[in-house]
Amino acid sequence: MEVTKLEHACQVVRSGAARLVLDPGEFSRPVEVTGVVAVVATHQHPDHVTAEQVARILARNPDAVVLGPPGVATVLADAGITVDVVTDGDHREVGPFTLDFHGTRHNVIHASVPVVDNTGVLVDGRLFHPGDAYTVPGVPVEVLAAPVGAPWLKVAEMMDWIAAVAPRRAYPIHEATLSAVGFAMHTGRQREALGDGELVVLQPGDVLQV
């Protein structure tokens, strides 16, 4: 299995000829790949999913399924896109991929901002993408897609969460809110929090073997 990191939260996971697209939002390039068996959107915010991105994927992969929590189903319904609604504890098998879902709520941005549904996904029991939440899945995680910058993110909490998940490797995502200086500072803290684990800094388009 390999993961290609695109901009911000979007990632494409490949197993053989099959692909899984995670969080195709508006901060990422147009996702124009084939072989997609599923799209997972962790939550409804447009930096993680848009109807335009999902429709583009489905036009090239009409048999692909779309999965996400209730809020994702709501925002995609107007575009006529059907979502297999998932939440904490759910399990799906799509193509060669095993998907286990963890968490229910987005991290708090501010008391004035509504807290939406957010459900992270563990792919093949190895790669965990949390969306916008400090969810600790309670099972071993080999590779962690670790948010590095966000309106809801506090560095101390980010470090505690990474230490609690304790992956063998991690790579930063959700970087679009940071300058180059801020990104370097935050990834340094991620590296500290990993202890004996390894931080792999990927640029958009880079591939990581999982």
Side-chain angles (χ1 to χ4, degrees):
M1 184 171 70
E2 67 178 30
V3 57
T4 300
K5 187 206 175 300
L6 301 183
E7 293 80 8
H8 200 55
C10 188
Q11 301 142 83
V12 179
V13 183
R14 185 177 69 84
S15 179
R19 289 180 170 85
L20 168 71
V21 179
L22 307 177
D23 280 0
E26 65 183 4
F27 292 170
S28 178
R29 70 189 70 181
V31 182
E32 298 175 337
V33 294
T34 57
V36 177
V37 296
V39 178
V40 175
T42 59
H43 64 285
Q44 68 201 61
H45 288 161
D47 59 324
H48 289 255
V49 67
T50 66
E52 292 79 11
Q53 282 275 39
V54 176
R56 182 182 294 112
I57 295 167
L58 293 178
R60 292 166 174 77
N61 305 273
D63 295 328
V65 298
V66 182
L67 304 100
V72 171
T74 298
V75 300
L76 294 183
D78 289 342
I81 298 171
T82 300
V83 175
D84 180 2
V85 175
V86 292
T87 189
D88 183 68
D90 284 345
H91 172 88
R92 298 288 190 275
E93 295 184 11
V94 186
F97 298 106
T98 297
L99 308 176
D100 291 288
F101 294 90
H102 298 271
T104 60
R105 305 298 279 171
H106 192 287
N107 269 23
V108 173
I109 299 172
H110 185 265
S112 66
V113 180
V115 178
V116 302
D117 305 310
N118 182 100
T119 300
V121 60
L122 181 66
V123 181
D124 288 353
R126 301 170 68 191
L127 168 66
F128 184 54
H129 171 42
D132 283 3
Y134 291 137
T135 301
V136 178
V139 295
V141 171
E142 181 179 341
V143 180
L144 178 65
V148 69
W152 49 266
L153 188 150
K154 181 179 179 181
V155 170
E157 294 173 348
M158 173 189 73
M159 295 176 70
D160 287 343
W161 169 70
I162 290 172
V165 177
R168 187 170 64 84
R169 287 187 293 170
Y171 59 94
I173 63 167
H174 214 278
E175 74 285 351
T177 61
L178 297 177
S179 69
V181 173
F183 180 74
M185 180 179 68
H186 287 205
T187 55
R189 296 304 184 191
Q190 288 188 334
R191 189 172 283 108
E192 291 175 20
L194 280 165
D196 293 334
E198 177 189 10
L199 185 75
V200 182
V201 177
L202 302 175
Q203 299 302 317
D206 286 352
V207 177
L208 177 68
Q209 298 295 326
V210 177

